[in-house]
Amino acid sequence: SVTCKKECDAASGALPASCPAVCDAFRKMPDAVEYAAQLDAKYGREPDLDAMPLYCVPMSFKAVYDTKDMRSIGGADADYAMDAPPVDGTLAARMRDAGAIIFAKALNSEYNGGSGNPGGDAETAAPYIVNGGSRDTWGGTVCNPYNTERVTGGSSGGSGVSVAANLVVCSICETTGGSCRSPATHNNVVNLVPTKGMTTYGGGIGADPFRDRPGVNCRTVKDAVTVLEAFRDPTTGFFDPRDPYTALSHMTASDTPYTEALKGIGGAKPLAGMRIGVIRELFIKHDASDAAVSDGINRELQILKALGATLVEATTPEYPDDPAIENMAFSVRDAIAEVLPFHMPEVFSWKLADGTPEFKVPGWDVTSRKYLVSVANHKAPLPENLDFERLMGNAPMDVSGYSFAFNMEQYLQQRGDAKVSDWATLNQNATYFSADKQAAMTNWGNKGIDPATYDTTFTMKREFVIRMAMMKVMEQNDIDVFANPTTTTLPNVIGGPSEPVSRRAFGYGARLGIPEVFVPAGFASEIYDPVLALADDGKTYDEKAGTQPTNLQGYPLPYNIGFWAMPGDLHDIIKVAAAYEAATHHRRTPPGFGPVKGEP
């Protein structure tokens, strides 16, 4: 705590007059070592591990989650009356109930990245474009322990690093787009994110309530599943009154413990009888930077076959058809053609920046009823560029809405701090790391509520429609789980340019709210770093894909394989992920952070 500095926290006897009155209660909370000693004194060497499966396990929490015994302001440099919240977030409380020791807050990209700039009167003439990965205004920039010149992935970078460097056993991350996935793959750790609504976000600062999901970063699948089970309250299950989305867990969560999926994975063919789908759009090498990971994961598919699984692929003209893998009889494009024309016909009317139609089919008006009916009946072709990748990308219209503006003010009102209680008082009492960030937060504070906002409407429709399409693909091809790269890019240099935006569609999990498990799958020894090129105006620079390889000189960069499916399929995903992990053991510790004795 900064409100209750060391002399206030450590004081005995009467609270010093220089210390705020709130510090009297705060100083009585045990720190991590004191709490461990209390557990030892109470339970000795025979704790009830059924009741407390995380007994004395040190964990970190992404900075956006409330923990009552330490500073919790989302990684911001903001002056609250009391920087520790009055109560724990629900997950923090449940982890403590399970015996865990919340050892530290993990740095992140402030407020989960802050959701960009919605636009408004506040502008800056000096845009902040330097890529820093997870950039916490209060704590600084997090660097990658496998190569400290490089980013960790955002926005839960500190969660990935704290596990990778063996500073904690597991960390609770958060994902709105890829904020758990990227730090896991860039830091060689396992990530488990269950279906939206199975894990509560009560007591946390969010970016978009409809998509925000807590996840788990651990060193092993078993550890991650153990933590997931600890999210389950003995009485209410995964439901939490503080988070309305958890009411959906009644439909998606299994009464059977997810640890049951870990049994029987050590045999010669533990995946016999399982069918694993491969969507080749997620293997496309858009430029040279994608090759190492795409090719690496393609090789790893052979491990799944060796474990007894049958692979079935959805092909694309942009990636070679593998003759050794069965093709899907009913493809992803087939499913999109059937469900999109009725449920989201507006997509066919999308326009490019110059005002021309984005989607065309020779001889057809793709916005007409005749075409929409015909394509749904497979009597007209789907536009070539209307595919899974495109639908997982951004819509061409403004869908910035007011999600972040609403969520932040809701959180501040619920927290009830005496000084920072709404957007106005937050911005009055905060310092931001750049003029761009200051302008963005000012605009968010001024963002009104537009009752006609397209933001949540669009994301809800897309989730339902594409979920339905993918479930139809799974049913008609008898697929249990999908497997693909977690992302095909490797971490950039801190302070350098970012990989140019392309059609990479790895945000599908967050956009569909589906369960995912990501597992270490290998290392790359070279990288094609993006570069800056002078723009046509002669005054600014554009980020371009790199064309020259950089040898990583003994500091290779890790990457993960992703396993995912639809709500209710988490047992299958865990089984495949655990069997793959047991057969490969790709995780290894960073050069400067060796393993804890007796631990992986």
Side-chain angles (χ1 to χ4, degrees):
S1 171
V2 173
T3 306
C4 301
K5 295 181 174 64
K6 181 178 179 181
E7 60 271 20
C8 301
D9 191 16
S12 57
L15 185 71
S18 60
C19 298
V22 291
C23 297
D24 193 37
F26 181 82
R27 65 177 175 158
K28 296 172 184 176
M29 296 184 190
D31 64 23
V33 174
E34 291 168 339
Y35 182 58
Q38 290 177 4
L39 290 174
D40 282 347
K42 185 173 183 178
Y43 298 104
R45 294 184 176 273
E46 297 182 358
D48 183 352
L49 295 181
D50 289 331
M52 293 183 295
L54 304 181
Y55 185 79
C56 273
V57 171
M59 299 180 65
S60 65
F61 266 68
K62 185 175 181 178
V64 293
Y65 294 102
D66 281 354
T67 48
K68 64 184 180 183
D69 53 0
M70 61 186 77
R71 183 177 175 88
S72 301
I73 58 173
D77 187 2
D79 184 22
Y80 282 61
M82 178 56 186
D83 60 3
V87 295
D88 275 334
T90 303
L91 286 186
R94 290 186 181 181
M95 294 300 94
R96 295 190 207 269
D97 288 344
I101 297 171
I102 301 178
F103 182 69
K105 299 303 274 290
L107 302 190
N108 74 150
S109 299
E110 180 182 276
Y111 302 136
N112 304 305
S115 295
N117 189 335
D121 295 334
E123 298 180 354
T124 175
Y128 182 87
I129 62 169
V130 177
N131 169 37
S134 285
R135 173 58 161 88
D136 187 313
T137 300
W138 176 253
T141 299
V142 193
C143 62
N144 192 307
Y146 290 89
N147 188 318
T148 54
E149 294 181 344
R150 297 186 176 272
V151 301
T152 58
S155 61
S156 304
S159 290
V161 168
S162 59
V163 175
N166 286 318
L167 303 177
V168 295
V169 174
C170 293
S171 183
I172 306 303
C173 57
E174 175 280 338
T175 181
T176 309
S179 299
C180 286
R181 165 177 51 86
S182 292
T185 192
H186 290 339
N187 293 283
N188 202 220
V189 298
V190 170
N191 177 224
L192 189 160
V193 182
T195 305
K196 169 68 177 177
M198 270 186 59
T199 44
T200 172
Y201 207 69
I205 300 172
D208 180 346
F210 187 73
R211 290 196 290 151
D212 295 331
R213 289 186 297 165
V216 187
N217 284 339
C218 295
R219 294 171 296 177
T220 68
V221 174
K222 179 181 178 181
D223 286 352
V225 176
T226 302
V227 173
L228 172 66
E229 273 301 317
F231 289 169
R232 194 194 299 257
D233 182 86
T235 302
T236 63
F238 291 105
F239 175 70
D240 173 22
R242 298 173 72 178
D243 182 348
Y245 292 101
T246 59
L248 301 175
S249 65
H250 181 74
M251 298 188 298
T252 60
S254 171
D255 292 334
T256 302
Y258 290 103
T259 49
E260 290 294 307
L262 300 171
K263 296 179 179 179
I265 61 170
K269 301 284 185 181
L271 302 184
M274 297 196 75
R275 288 171 61 84
I276 297 179
V278 179
I279 300 175
R280 286 303 188 184
E281 286 180 41
L282 299 172
F283 287 75
I284 294 173
K285 294 175 232 184
H286 295 284
D287 53 54
S289 66
D290 294 308
V293 179
S294 178
D295 292 345
I297 298 302
N298 190 52
R299 290 191 296 270
E300 293 300 300
L301 296 179
Q302 302 306 310
I303 303 295
L304 300 174
K305 290 177 69 174
L307 294 172
T310 297
L311 302 183
V312 53
E313 67 177 355
T315 60
T316 174
E318 297 176 86
Y319 192 93
D321 186 357
D322 188 337
I325 297 179
E326 172 189 340
N327 286 348
M328 293 185 189
F330 181 80
S331 72
V332 176
R333 287 180 59 83
D334 290 335
I336 291 171
E338 289 188 8
V339 303
L340 202 65
F342 174 74
H343 296 90
M344 294 186 74
E346 64 271 23
V347 170
F348 293 86
S349 298
W350 284 358
K351 289 182 168 52
L352 300 173
D354 62 4
T356 59
E358 182 173 356
F359 306 116
K360 300 176 183 179
V361 173
W364 291 93
D365 173 3
V366 298
T367 66
S368 68
R369 181 177 64 197
K370 184 176 181 61
Y371 170 78
L372 294 173
V373 170
S374 297
V375 74
N377 286 332
H378 302 294
K379 296 184 181 298
L382 192 70
E384 286 296 327
N385 56 335
L386 183 50
D387 53 18
F388 182 79
E389 274 198 314
R390 180 63 191 92
L391 289 171
M392 290 300 102
N394 294 326
M397 69 290 293
D398 177 18
V399 293
S400 60
Y402 67 102
S403 299
F404 181 51
F406 180 93
N407 188 262
M408 176 62 81
E409 185 129 6
Q410 183 181 40
Y411 168 82
L412 293 172
Q413 188 179 94
Q414 290 173 348
R415 179 162 170 165
D417 187 76
K419 183 186 290 187
V420 177
S421 57
D422 55 20
W423 268 105
T425 51
L426 173 66
N427 284 333
Q428 288 167 10
N429 290 283
T431 300
Y432 301 106
F433 64 79
S434 70
D436 256 12
K437 185 69 172 180
Q438 176 69 61
M441 294 298 281
T442 299
N443 287 332
W444 277 116
N446 294 335
K447 185 75 174 176
I449 294 179
D450 179 1
T453 179
Y454 193 52
D455 185 6
T456 306
T457 302
F458 173 76
T459 54
M460 291 177 74
K461 283 184 71 174
R462 177 171 59 181
E463 178 183 290
F464 175 81
V465 172
I466 308 305
R467 261 196 198 184
M468 181 166 59
M470 297 310 298
M471 291 174 76
K472 200 167 190 295
V473 170
M474 294 183 74
E475 289 292 337
Q476 290 191 224
N477 293 286
D478 196 22
I479 291 171
D480 298 293
V481 173
F482 291 105
N484 50 255
T486 300
T487 177
T488 51
T489 57
L490 294 164
N492 307 312
V493 173
I494 294 174
S498 300
E499 190 68 29
V501 175
S502 74
R503 292 192 298 114
R504 296 177 182 91
F506 294 99
Y508 58 83
R511 286 171 169 83
L512 301 182
I514 54 175
E516 306 167 282
V517 180
F518 308 113
V519 183
F523 288 81
S525 58
E526 69 176 22
I527 186 172
Y528 286 78
D529 281 316
V531 297
L532 290 175
L534 191 65
D536 293 340
D537 62 11
K539 299 178 181 179
T540 58
Y541 286 87
D542 292 330
E543 294 171 322
K544 301 288 187 180
T547 58
Q548 299 298 318
T550 298
N551 188 298
L552 294 169
Q553 300 178 339
Y555 292 91
L557 295 170
Y559 55 83
N560 283 6
I561 187 171
F563 300 107
W564 55 285
M566 292 297 118
D569 296 330
L570 187 52
H571 277 100
D572 286 341
I573 302 169
I574 292 169
K575 178 180 178 179
V576 173
Y580 170 81
E581 178 189 56
T584 57
H585 296 290
H586 281 301
R587 170 173 154 75
R588 63 177 186 259
T589 55
F593 297 88
V596 178
K597 184 178 180 180
E599 296 289 339

